[in-house]
Amino acid sequence: MAKIAPSILSADFAKLGEDVKDICDRGIDYLHIDVMDGVFVPNISFGADVMKSLNNTVTVPYDVHLMIIEPIRYIDKFFTENTGFITVHYEACDDLASTIEKIKEGGAKAGVSIKPGTAPEVLDEYLKDIDLILVMSVEPGFGGQKFMDSSLPKIEYYKNKREELGLDYVIEVDGGVGSGNAHLVRDAGVDIIVAGSAVFKAADRTAEIRAIKGE
Ligand code: DX5
Ligand code: ZN
């Protein structure tokens, strides 16, 4: 069984509060917040103020995914009492070690993500300082894309490394996962599954959430 972090990128922005309230009542573990700057990825989503507008509605921690260049500039804005993880991209940081440190100094847990074209070994030297590794299973930028199974050996890589080195980071996967293929990432050893369109567009959201988690 895995945990689930539905992405509000696929929510109805015209009634975001209602959608978030609805989803929080259905056995989810985190709320995934996809922040895009139109530079690191070819799309713009929303920023910290939109996330903070949900502070009185959410009942689970935020799982913030920053798809922005040099995120160290904006990390401060995402510290709230609801913030669980703040994840940055390996490819977007000049100084990843300082970026991780800044996240932790603010009281959040530090995540690092790699894009589909990035080899998992690039994080080897940072593993002991990382709380969460986010393996992208689509090119970041858009919801509703097809799952790339090249993410599976990466999940296994980080699972084996964790055991070998005696570490305790969690492994998350993001993109194209729904009830039909979630077993693949669960079998590979993932701890948290991000799901946007599969959850928000489901006729029965609770059933979809349970199926993705493997309950
Ligand atoms: C993609 C985002 C994902 C996306 C997932 O850049 O990071 O979180 O919203 O959406 P689905 O589950 O629809 O692929
Ligand atoms: Zn995401």
Side-chain angles (χ1 to χ4, degrees), residues 100-121:
I100 291 170
E101 206 178 299
K102 181 149 188 180
I103 295 170
K104 290 180 167 177
E105 275 170 14
K109 290 189 176 160
V112 180
S113 182
I114 56 165
K115 299 207 287 183
T118 302
E121 293 83 5

PDB file of all heavy atoms in Angstrom, residues 100-121:
ATOM      1  N   ILE A 100      18.525  22.730  -0.341  1.00  0.00           N
ATOM      2  CA  ILE A 100      18.014  21.736   0.609  1.00  0.00           C
ATOM      3  C   ILE A 100      18.083  22.291   2.033  1.00  0.00           C
ATOM      4  O   ILE A 100      17.137  22.184   2.816  1.00  0.00           O
ATOM      5  CB  ILE A 100      18.826  20.421   0.492  1.00  0.00           C
ATOM      6  CG1 ILE A 100      18.547  19.734  -0.842  1.00  0.00           C
ATOM      7  CG2 ILE A 100      18.540  19.486   1.667  1.00  0.00           C
ATOM      8  CD1 ILE A 100      19.491  18.565  -1.146  1.00  0.00           C
ATOM      9  N   GLU A 101      19.214  22.909   2.336  1.00  0.00           N
ATOM     10  CA  GLU A 101      19.417  23.466   3.673  1.00  0.00           C
ATOM     11  C   GLU A 101      18.380  24.544   3.989  1.00  0.00           C
ATOM     12  O   GLU A 101      17.821  24.596   5.078  1.00  0.00           O
ATOM     13  CB  GLU A 101      20.821  24.073   3.709  1.00  0.00           C
ATOM     14  CG  GLU A 101      21.444  24.128   5.068  1.00  0.00           C
ATOM     15  CD  GLU A 101      22.850  24.713   4.960  1.00  0.00           C
ATOM     16  OE1 GLU A 101      23.696  24.100   4.262  1.00  0.00           O
ATOM     17  OE2 GLU A 101      23.077  25.789   5.527  1.00  0.00           O
ATOM     18  N   LYS A 102      18.104  25.371   3.012  1.00  0.00           N
ATOM     19  CA  LYS A 102      17.136  26.458   3.219  1.00  0.00           C
ATOM     20  C   LYS A 102      15.740  25.904   3.504  1.00  0.00           C
ATOM     21  O   LYS A 102      15.001  26.434   4.333  1.00  0.00           O
ATOM     22  CB  LYS A 102      17.121  27.364   1.989  1.00  0.00           C
ATOM     23  CG  LYS A 102      16.169  28.518   2.138  1.00  0.00           C
ATOM     24  CD  LYS A 102      16.622  29.742   1.399  1.00  0.00           C
ATOM     25  CE  LYS A 102      15.703  30.900   1.782  1.00  0.00           C
ATOM     26  NZ  LYS A 102      16.027  32.131   1.129  1.00  0.00           N
ATOM     27  N   ILE A 103      15.361  24.848   2.808  1.00  0.00           N
ATOM     28  CA  ILE A 103      14.047  24.225   3.045  1.00  0.00           C
ATOM     29  C   ILE A 103      13.980  23.724   4.481  1.00  0.00           C
ATOM     30  O   ILE A 103      12.999  23.957   5.203  1.00  0.00           O
ATOM     31  CB  ILE A 103      13.808  23.063   2.049  1.00  0.00           C
ATOM     32  CG1 ILE A 103      13.732  23.580   0.613  1.00  0.00           C
ATOM     33  CG2 ILE A 103      12.527  22.299   2.421  1.00  0.00           C
ATOM     34  CD1 ILE A 103      13.729  22.487  -0.450  1.00  0.00           C
ATOM     35  N   LYS A 104      15.035  23.070   4.911  1.00  0.00           N
ATOM     36  CA  LYS A 104      15.031  22.494   6.262  1.00  0.00           C
ATOM     37  C   LYS A 104      15.070  23.573   7.343  1.00  0.00           C
ATOM     38  O   LYS A 104      14.424  23.437   8.379  1.00  0.00           O
ATOM     39  CB  LYS A 104      16.218  21.543   6.422  1.00  0.00           C
ATOM     40  CG  LYS A 104      16.062  20.276   5.599  1.00  0.00           C
ATOM     41  CD  LYS A 104      17.266  19.400   5.819  1.00  0.00           C
ATOM     42  CE  LYS A 104      17.047  18.001   5.301  1.00  0.00           C
ATOM     43  NZ  LYS A 104      18.250  17.195   5.467  1.00  0.00           N
ATOM     44  N   GLU A 105      15.819  24.626   7.098  1.00  0.00           N
ATOM     45  CA  GLU A 105      15.894  25.731   8.070  1.00  0.00           C
ATOM     46  C   GLU A 105      14.521  26.325   8.337  1.00  0.00           C
ATOM     47  O   GLU A 105      14.236  26.792   9.431  1.00  0.00           O
ATOM     48  CB  GLU A 105      16.799  26.852   7.530  1.00  0.00           C
ATOM     49  CG  GLU A 105      18.265  26.631   7.822  1.00  0.00           C
ATOM     50  CD  GLU A 105      19.137  27.622   7.055  1.00  0.00           C
ATOM     51  OE1 GLU A 105      18.595  28.620   6.516  1.00  0.00           O
ATOM     52  OE2 GLU A 105      20.343  27.359   6.974  1.00  0.00           O
ATOM     53  N   GLY A 106      13.672  26.310   7.305  1.00  0.00           N
ATOM     54  CA  GLY A 106      12.325  26.877   7.448  1.00  0.00           C
ATOM     55  C   GLY A 106      11.347  25.921   8.087  1.00  0.00           C
ATOM     56  O   GLY A 106      10.169  26.238   8.241  1.00  0.00           O
ATOM     57  N   GLY A 107      11.805  24.713   8.412  1.00  0.00           N
ATOM     58  CA  GLY A 107      10.952  23.768   9.127  1.00  0.00           C
ATOM     59  C   GLY A 107      10.186  22.804   8.233  1.00  0.00           C
ATOM     60  O   GLY A 107       9.344  22.050   8.710  1.00  0.00           O
ATOM     61  N   ALA A 108      10.476  22.806   6.928  1.00  0.00           N
ATOM     62  CA  ALA A 108       9.807  21.848   6.033  1.00  0.00           C
ATOM     63  C   ALA A 108      10.747  20.673   5.756  1.00  0.00           C
ATOM     64  O   ALA A 108      11.938  20.717   6.082  1.00  0.00           O
ATOM     65  CB  ALA A 108       9.413  22.528   4.727  1.00  0.00           C
ATOM     66  N   LYS A 109      10.186  19.635   5.180  1.00  0.00           N
ATOM     67  CA  LYS A 109      11.020  18.511   4.759  1.00  0.00           C
ATOM     68  C   LYS A 109      11.450  18.748   3.318  1.00  0.00           C
ATOM     69  O   LYS A 109      10.675  19.254   2.508  1.00  0.00           O
ATOM     70  CB  LYS A 109      10.243  17.203   4.882  1.00  0.00           C
ATOM     71  CG  LYS A 109      10.026  16.837   6.336  1.00  0.00           C
ATOM     72  CD  LYS A 109       9.453  15.459   6.473  1.00  0.00           C
ATOM     73  CE  LYS A 109       9.345  15.101   7.941  1.00  0.00           C
ATOM     74  NZ  LYS A 109       8.400  14.006   8.162  1.00  0.00           N
ATOM     75  N   ALA A 110      12.690  18.355   3.009  1.00  0.00           N
ATOM     76  CA  ALA A 110      13.272  18.695   1.708  1.00  0.00           C
ATOM     77  C   ALA A 110      13.157  17.556   0.709  1.00  0.00           C
ATOM     78  O   ALA A 110      13.617  16.444   0.953  1.00  0.00           O
ATOM     79  CB  ALA A 110      14.737  19.071   1.897  1.00  0.00           C
ATOM     80  N   GLY A 111      12.550  17.884  -0.440  1.00  0.00           N
ATOM     81  CA  GLY A 111      12.446  16.925  -1.526  1.00  0.00           C
ATOM     82  C   GLY A 111      13.262  17.380  -2.723  1.00  0.00           C
ATOM     83  O   GLY A 111      13.460  18.573  -2.941  1.00  0.00           O
ATOM     84  N   VAL A 112      13.744  16.402  -3.496  1.00  0.00           N
ATOM     85  CA  VAL A 112      14.431  16.710  -4.748  1.00  0.00           C
ATOM     86  C   VAL A 112      13.843  15.823  -5.836  1.00  0.00           C
ATOM     87  O   VAL A 112      13.618  14.624  -5.626  1.00  0.00           O
ATOM     88  CB  VAL A 112      15.957  16.482  -4.645  1.00  0.00           C
ATOM     89  CG1 VAL A 112      16.635  16.813  -5.976  1.00  0.00           C
ATOM     90  CG2 VAL A 112      16.560  17.322  -3.527  1.00  0.00           C
ATOM     91  N   SER A 113      13.581  16.435  -6.986  1.00  0.00           N
ATOM     92  CA  SER A 113      12.977  15.708  -8.104  1.00  0.00           C
ATOM     93  C   SER A 113      13.926  15.628  -9.277  1.00  0.00           C
ATOM     94  O   SER A 113      14.739  16.536  -9.494  1.00  0.00           O
ATOM     95  CB  SER A 113      11.688  16.424  -8.543  1.00  0.00           C
ATOM     96  OG  SER A 113      11.068  15.707  -9.594  1.00  0.00           O
ATOM     97  N   ILE A 114      13.796  14.537 -10.034  1.00  0.00           N
ATOM     98  CA  ILE A 114      14.539  14.423 -11.295  1.00  0.00           C
ATOM     99  C   ILE A 114      13.560  14.197 -12.445  1.00  0.00           C
ATOM    100  O   ILE A 114      12.584  13.471 -12.313  1.00  0.00           O
ATOM    101  CB  ILE A 114      15.607  13.304 -11.266  1.00  0.00           C
ATOM    102  CG1 ILE A 114      14.988  11.949 -10.898  1.00  0.00           C
ATOM    103  CG2 ILE A 114      16.748  13.661 -10.317  1.00  0.00           C
ATOM    104  CD1 ILE A 114      15.898  10.761 -11.211  1.00  0.00           C
ATOM    105  N   LYS A 115      13.864  14.821 -13.570  1.00  0.00           N
ATOM    106  CA  LYS A 115      13.043  14.699 -14.778  1.00  0.00           C
ATOM    107  C   LYS A 115      13.291  13.327 -15.424  1.00  0.00           C
ATOM    108  O   LYS A 115      14.292  12.664 -15.121  1.00  0.00           O
ATOM    109  CB  LYS A 115      13.406  15.805 -15.765  1.00  0.00           C
ATOM    110  CG  LYS A 115      13.160  17.209 -15.221  1.00  0.00           C
ATOM    111  CD  LYS A 115      12.880  18.210 -16.343  1.00  0.00           C
ATOM    112  CE  LYS A 115      14.105  18.566 -17.138  1.00  0.00           C
ATOM    113  NZ  LYS A 115      13.787  19.599 -18.167  1.00  0.00           N
ATOM    114  N   PRO A 116      12.429  12.933 -16.370  1.00  0.00           N
ATOM    115  CA  PRO A 116      12.596  11.616 -17.007  1.00  0.00           C
ATOM    116  C   PRO A 116      13.967  11.402 -17.658  1.00  0.00           C
ATOM    117  O   PRO A 116      14.475  10.281 -17.671  1.00  0.00           O
ATOM    118  CB  PRO A 116      11.477  11.598 -18.059  1.00  0.00           C
ATOM    119  CG  PRO A 116      10.419  12.470 -17.493  1.00  0.00           C
ATOM    120  CD  PRO A 116      11.152  13.579 -16.777  1.00  0.00           C
ATOM    121  N   GLY A 117      14.592  12.459 -18.155  1.00  0.00           N
ATOM    122  CA  GLY A 117      15.879  12.294 -18.832  1.00  0.00           C
ATOM    123  C   GLY A 117      17.079  12.329 -17.906  1.00  0.00           C
ATOM    124  O   GLY A 117      18.220  12.235 -18.369  1.00  0.00           O
ATOM    125  N   THR A 118      16.855  12.469 -16.624  1.00  0.00           N
ATOM    126  CA  THR A 118      17.970  12.597 -15.670  1.00  0.00           C
ATOM    127  C   THR A 118      18.253  11.253 -15.008  1.00  0.00           C
ATOM    128  O   THR A 118      17.331  10.568 -14.560  1.00  0.00           O
ATOM    129  CB  THR A 118      17.619  13.658 -14.596  1.00  0.00           C
ATOM    130  OG1 THR A 118      17.355  14.902 -15.253  1.00  0.00           O
ATOM    131  CG2 THR A 118      18.757  13.851 -13.609  1.00  0.00           C
ATOM    132  N   ALA A 119      19.536  10.907 -14.947  1.00  0.00           N
ATOM    133  CA  ALA A 119      19.929   9.620 -14.351  1.00  0.00           C
ATOM    134  C   ALA A 119      19.807   9.682 -12.832  1.00  0.00           C
ATOM    135  O   ALA A 119      20.126  10.706 -12.219  1.00  0.00           O
ATOM    136  CB  ALA A 119      21.366   9.301 -14.733  1.00  0.00           C
ATOM    137  N   PRO A 120      19.360   8.596 -12.210  1.00  0.00           N
ATOM    138  CA  PRO A 120      19.149   8.623 -10.764  1.00  0.00           C
ATOM    139  C   PRO A 120      20.428   8.851  -9.956  1.00  0.00           C
ATOM    140  O   PRO A 120      20.393   9.420  -8.871  1.00  0.00           O
ATOM    141  CB  PRO A 120      18.548   7.240 -10.456  1.00  0.00           C
ATOM    142  CG  PRO A 120      18.877   6.387 -11.630  1.00  0.00           C
ATOM    143  CD  PRO A 120      18.973   7.307 -12.810  1.00  0.00           C
ATOM    144  N   GLU A 121      21.568   8.477 -10.527  1.00  0.00           N
ATOM    145  CA  GLU A 121      22.844   8.590  -9.796  1.00  0.00           C
ATOM    146  C   GLU A 121      23.221  10.033  -9.464  1.00  0.00           C
ATOM    147  O   GLU A 121      24.042  10.267  -8.585  1.00  0.00           O
ATOM    148  CB  GLU A 121      23.992   7.962 -10.605  1.00  0.00           C
ATOM    149  CG  GLU A 121      23.905   6.465 -10.785  1.00  0.00           C
ATOM    150  CD  GLU A 121      22.997   6.058 -11.956  1.00  0.00           C
ATOM    151  OE1 GLU A 121      22.502   6.948 -12.689  1.00  0.00           O
ATOM    152  OE2 GLU A 121      22.778   4.841 -12.120  1.00  0.00           O
TER     153      GLU A 121
END
